[in-house]
Amino acid sequence: MQRKKLRYGMVGGDLNAFIGGVHRAAISFEGKAFLVAGCFNPDQSANRECGEFYQLADDRIYADYKEMAEKESKREDKLDFVTIVTPNFLHYQVAKEFLSKGINVVCEKPLCFELEEAKELEALAKEKGLLFCVTYGYSGFPMVKLAKKLVKDGVIGDIINVNAEYLQEWLIDDIGAGDISTNKLSVWRKDPKVAGISNCVGDIGTHIKHTVSYITGLKLKKIAAKLDYFGQPLDLNANILVELENGASGVFCSSQVCVGHANGLVARIFGTKGAIEWVQEDPNYLKVTLKGQPPQIYNRGMGYVTGRASELNRIPSGHPEGLYEAFANIYKTYINALLKKINGEELSENDLDFPTVSEGAEGVKFIHAVIESNKKQSAWVNL
Ligand SMILES: NC(=O)c1ccc[n+]([C@@H]2O[C@H](COP(=O)([O-])OP(=O)(O)OC[C@H]3O[C@@H](n4cnc5c(N)ncnc54)[C@H](O)[C@@H]3O)[C@@H](O)[C@H]2O)c1
């Protein structure tokens, strides 16, 4: 019988967490996957509170993720996929546990700490024939899809330069400026045991890298980075020179101490015939400037917006779509791909247009290269 709906579980993401709630909301947009199991918090009262809130069966609220993977894999109505939304240090071990038990995985970025771990997860997913998505959520925005299409169609010519940034201010207080920032995230991001070898680059610099590579279709060849720690164990500010695989140059700026910025992801792509600019805080628009002409502003949902950007449009232009919809687009694609796979249908290139474990591995490689370059007085490091 054809499957039309999927069952999923979640590790991390209790009722007080940030991104777990975004994932649950995003999955619910299509109504094709339902939360049936979870291990949301190592604290059992918060864990049960979350499981009960989502009306999970008592025996599917698990005290730990290993027990969850083990017991779920033996059920007839087992999970089709698990979503991992814990702090970074758990991603590798949780993903490995579920993959080993034959369960498909969606995991937050950064994928894991070490490149060897990333390669192991990539190989395991391949060996088991499982679909593994790493949620670089910004690649789900329709206007990012349009930017990718315009670049691929040659509208701005050959890529010659990129200039991209992700600026936040939420850790400015850590460098002694006083208590001015209210946009607080979980402070585990500052702890190397929980976050890994990087804070700023791991948390948001990887989004710059993914967004630029996604739009241009180009990997990074090498980077040279200067980081600022301001006396903290991990980086809070990063300025990175990059060279793309086609030889184009670029600059990435990633910071958690830039006053006046909240989630300022901006990608500017320059080509021989024109330029494209996308701003995450105004994500329904795309600025396209052709050489010798005034800038044009593309508006999501209009007739002239075609391809994946049009397929993934949800509401009429002028009504803003945002981060929830972008994540919903990633899940729409992933869940449809999984349903097709389970039902024995062939998958097209568009079906697989979600960020994969390989892209997650590229992100881990980028973080390590940046840290290495900074340690070597900003020497160029190949990726
Ligand atoms: N893709 C994006 O745009 C984006 C945005 C925000 C966060 N993230 C990533 O998502 C992850 C979570 O970030 P967050 O801001 O939601 O963190 P958070 O601190 O708000 O939530 C973390 C959750 O993990 C749970 N957890 C911790 N240890 C656990 C364990 N052993 N078993 C089960 N649950 C456990 C916590 O109880 C909490 O519910 C991080 O890896 C972060 O980098 C990605």
Side-chain angles (χ1 to χ4, degrees), residues 10-23 39-43 46-47 62-65 84-91 93-94 107-111 134-138 166 185-189 194 202-204 207 323 327:
M10 184 168 273
V11 179
D14 71 356
L15 294 177
N16 293 314
F18 165 33
I19 209 69
V22 174
H23 283 253
C39 170
F40 306 98
N41 191 319
D43 173 87
N47 187 33
Y62 295 96
D64 87 273
Y65 70 84
I84 303 166
V85 280
T86 62
N88 308 349
F89 77 106
L90 285 164
H91 294 175
Q93 39 187 293
V94 181
C107 183
E108 262 303 345
K109 46 51 58 181
L111 174 60
V134 175
T135 41
Y136 286 109
Y138 302 111
Y166 197 145
L185 292 165
S186 292
V187 290
W188 58 255
R189 287 172 168 79
V194 186
D203 205 39
I204 54 177
H207 280 302
L323 190 74
F327 270 77

Side-chain angles (χ1 to χ4, degrees), residues 234-273:
L234 296 177
D235 51 304
L236 301 177
N237 192 53
N239 288 292
I240 308 168
L241 286 176
V242 304
E243 187 179 318
L244 305 184
E245 62 181 328
N246 72 340
S249 302
V251 182
F252 293 174
C253 295
S254 164
S255 182
Q256 296 156 319
V257 292
C258 279
V259 173
H261 294 271
N263 273 293
L265 171 62
V266 179
R268 302 177 192 90
I269 315 292
F270 299 96
T272 48
K273 296 200 287 188

